[in-house]
Amino acid sequence: MLCFRLFPVPGSGLVLVCLVLGALRSYALELTLQDSGKATCLYAKWQMTFRVRYETTNKTYKTQTISDLGAVTYNGSCGDDQSGPRIAVQFRSGFSWIANFTKAASTYSIDSISFSYNTSDNTTFPDAKDKGMHTVYQPLAINIPLNELFRCNSLSTLEDNDVVQHYWDVHVQAFVQNGTVSKMEFLCDKDKTSTVVPTVHTTVPSPTTTPTPRKPEAGTYSVNNGNGTCLLATMGLQLNITQDKVASVININPNTTHSTGSCQSHTALLRLNSSTIKYLDFVFAVKNENRFYLKEVNVSMNLVNGSVFSIANNNLSYWDAPLGSSYMCNKEQTVSVSGAFQINTFDLRVQPFNVIEGKYSTAQECSLDDDTILIPIIVGAGLSGLIIVIVIAYLIGRRKSYAGYQTL
């Protein structure tokens, strides 16, 4: 018998441990498989998104990001003498994801992953030329000691032609022994922290102060489709990263940063990359059919200590402006992606939709740039000061008038 643990989630009824964790609305899946004796045989928790590039009927190419899986159904097996355990997830219209596991004498393996998508789904793939099912198979052979939990919080990417798969916050154990998930963890290479040899000083160094980072240089980035420029962005970017309790500030150099992306009717992507930044994604979306906003930021980059820093958040709400206009904020503004990652923007102007002739449309300014509110404040302060002066003069005048009379 195969059993799944069901948990009530507010606003979602009973779901198969399909929980939204933290700020990430893209699926955070947690799955427990049980055998006929109701003993846990496989445990998995992971997050994943997909990017699929496809050809349209007008011979152009579009890229679709699949992060919201929609209604999800599940299947799986603890395995038997003929085959190993497997996880199977079905979502959207004809989409599926399968992970297979195998076992050796002292190890088990994440043997392979297959992802199938349906370009006949017009909602996900509008104007797709080649309609039908497509499957991407990825052999992995990740070997893990038996009775240890595999953990990989860092971002892992699988690429195969037109499909890019992203995985992070992965925790999985197949062939669970005695029905109890192990507390011993086997880390992926990206999660293994490098050992730093401490420097021994023969004298006590004088205290130093961390200099204030300079303002980053503003760069201009654009995305083109078959009809010309479809996205414009001008901004200075400063990244604030905290990892292992160490904070760092990084200014992006626009002269060594490249931009790519894609434009669709209701979403637009600006991707920046450089020698150290694998990708820094800004994903924009349309809401209420008349406004746009920054919905998602994803980043993966190499830090100076050799580690990889990866964060994703698709539940943001910044840079809101009407469609047909641009958003502008010259003063410093902070986009808080997570507790460990913030982006400071300077001299910002962005238009992800309805760009005409490669030029910005009329800008909606942020509240930080709006100086018109200072006028009533100054006038009000001036009037208040004048009233105070009049009251004080009146009180002094009355006191002097009383001093002219003597008591009989």
Side-chain angles (χ1 to χ4, degrees):
M1 180 179 68
L2 175 64
C3 298
F4 295 99
R5 292 183 181 176
L6 296 175
F7 291 85
V9 176
S12 300
L14 287 175
V15 297
L16 175 61
V17 199
C18 182
L19 302 177
V20 177
L21 300 180
L24 293 173
R25 199 177 65 187
S26 59
Y27 268 68
L29 305 168
E30 184 172 1
L31 168 68
T32 300
L33 297 182
Q34 296 179 340
D35 59 21
S36 58
K38 295 187 178 181
T40 298
C41 65
L42 187 150
Y43 171 79
K45 182 174 69 173
W46 75 103
Q47 300 197 56
M48 60 183 180
T49 62
F50 309 93
R51 292 189 188 277
V52 179
R53 183 175 180 266
Y54 67 98
E55 187 177 4
T56 65
T57 52
N58 61 4
K59 298 183 179 181
T60 61
Y61 285 87
K62 291 183 177 180
T63 300
Q64 181 63 267
T65 300
I66 303 170
S67 56
D68 184 353
L69 306 186
V72 179
T73 57
Y74 303 84
N75 196 357
S77 169
C78 289
D80 51 32
D81 294 336
Q82 303 298 323
S83 60
R86 70 197 298 260
I87 301 172
V89 179
Q90 293 81 37
F91 54 97
R92 295 203 178 189
S93 177
F95 292 65
S96 65
W97 181 87
I98 298 173
N100 293 295
F101 301 84
T102 58
K103 181 181 179 182
S106 60
T107 62
Y108 69 94
S109 298
I110 306 175
D111 184 69
S112 63
I113 287 176
S114 61
F115 168 57
S116 299
Y117 59 98
N118 184 11
T119 52
S120 297
D121 181 357
N122 293 323
T123 302
T124 307
F125 301 105
D127 305 321
K129 177 183 177 182
D130 183 16
K131 295 184 179 296
M133 293 298 302
H134 304 265
T135 299
V136 175
Y137 176 82
Q138 290 278 2
L140 298 179
I142 301 175
N143 297 317
I144 307 145
L146 282 172
N147 201 32
E148 290 191 19
L149 177 77
F150 175 74
R151 190 197 80 186
C152 195
N153 292 330
S154 301
L155 185 72
S156 299
T157 302
L158 301 178
E159 297 189 36
D160 189 313
N161 296 326
D162 294 330
V163 177
V164 179
Q165 306 176 54
H166 294 304
Y167 300 93
W168 68 98
D169 289 343
V170 176
H171 299 72
V172 63
Q173 183 182 355
F175 304 97
V176 175
Q177 299 180 12
N178 302 320
T180 302
V181 177
S182 176
K183 294 183 179 179
M184 296 178 61
E185 293 185 336
F186 180 82
L187 305 184
C188 66
D189 292 337
K190 289 184 178 181
D191 278 12
K192 294 176 182 177
T193 57
S194 58
T195 302
V196 179
V197 179
T199 302
V200 179
H201 297 277
T202 56
T203 59
V204 178
S206 58
T208 59
T209 58
T210 303
T212 302
R214 60 182 177 83
K215 178 181 176 181
E217 179 183 351
T220 298
Y221 312 99
S222 64
V223 176
N224 298 314
N225 57 14
N227 299 320
T229 302
C230 59
L231 183 152
L232 285 172
T234 303
M235 51 190 171
L237 296 173
Q238 187 176 83
L239 309 183
N240 295 270
I241 297 172
T242 302
Q243 190 176 56
D244 298 330
K245 298 182 180 180
V246 177
S248 57
V249 178
I250 301 171
N251 285 350
I252 289 184
N253 182 359
N255 299 316
T256 58
T257 302
H258 307 284
S259 63
T260 58
S262 61
C263 301
Q264 300 178 32
S265 58
H266 285 75
T267 59
L269 164 69
L270 172 64
R271 166 168 286 190
L272 305 181
N273 61 78
S274 66
S275 59
T276 57
I277 300 174
K278 294 182 179 179
Y279 58 81
L280 174 58
D281 291 349
F282 297 88
V283 181
F284 301 86
V286 174
K287 64 178 180 181
N288 302 326
E289 300 297 330
N290 60 2
R291 300 187 72 85
F292 72 83
Y293 69 105
L294 177 65
K295 178 180 183 292
E296 180 178 347
V297 170
N298 307 310
V299 66
S300 180
M301 61 184 297
N302 299 313
L303 301 182
V304 292
N305 63 3
S307 64
V308 177
F309 180 81
S310 301
I311 289 289
N313 187 344
N314 74 341
N315 195 24
L316 302 175
S317 185
Y318 292 95
W319 306 350
D320 187 301
L323 280 176
S325 67
S326 59
Y327 176 86
M328 184 169 69
C329 197
N330 290 319
K331 289 187 171 64
E332 180 180 354
Q333 190 179 33
T334 300
V335 175
S336 182
V337 181
S338 72
F341 183 53
Q342 299 84 38
I343 303 175
N344 295 336
T345 63
F346 301 81
D347 302 320
L348 168 69
R349 190 169 186 180
V350 62
Q351 185 171 344
F353 301 98
N354 302 341
V355 176
I356 300 175
E357 297 181 350
K359 298 178 181 179
Y360 286 110
S361 300
T362 303
Q364 173 169 309
E365 296 187 44
C366 65
S367 58
L368 296 173
D369 284 357
D370 189 2
D371 294 332
T372 57
I373 193 174
L374 294 176
I375 297 175
I377 292 176
I378 294 172
V379 173
L383 290 175
S384 299
L386 180 60
I387 292 172
I388 292 173
V389 170
I390 293 174
V391 171
I392 293 174
Y394 171 74
L395 292 176
I396 294 174
R398 289 196 60 183
R399 180 174 296 179
K400 287 183 177 180
S401 63
Y402 284 137
Y405 295 93
Q406 300 293 329
T407 302
L408 296 176

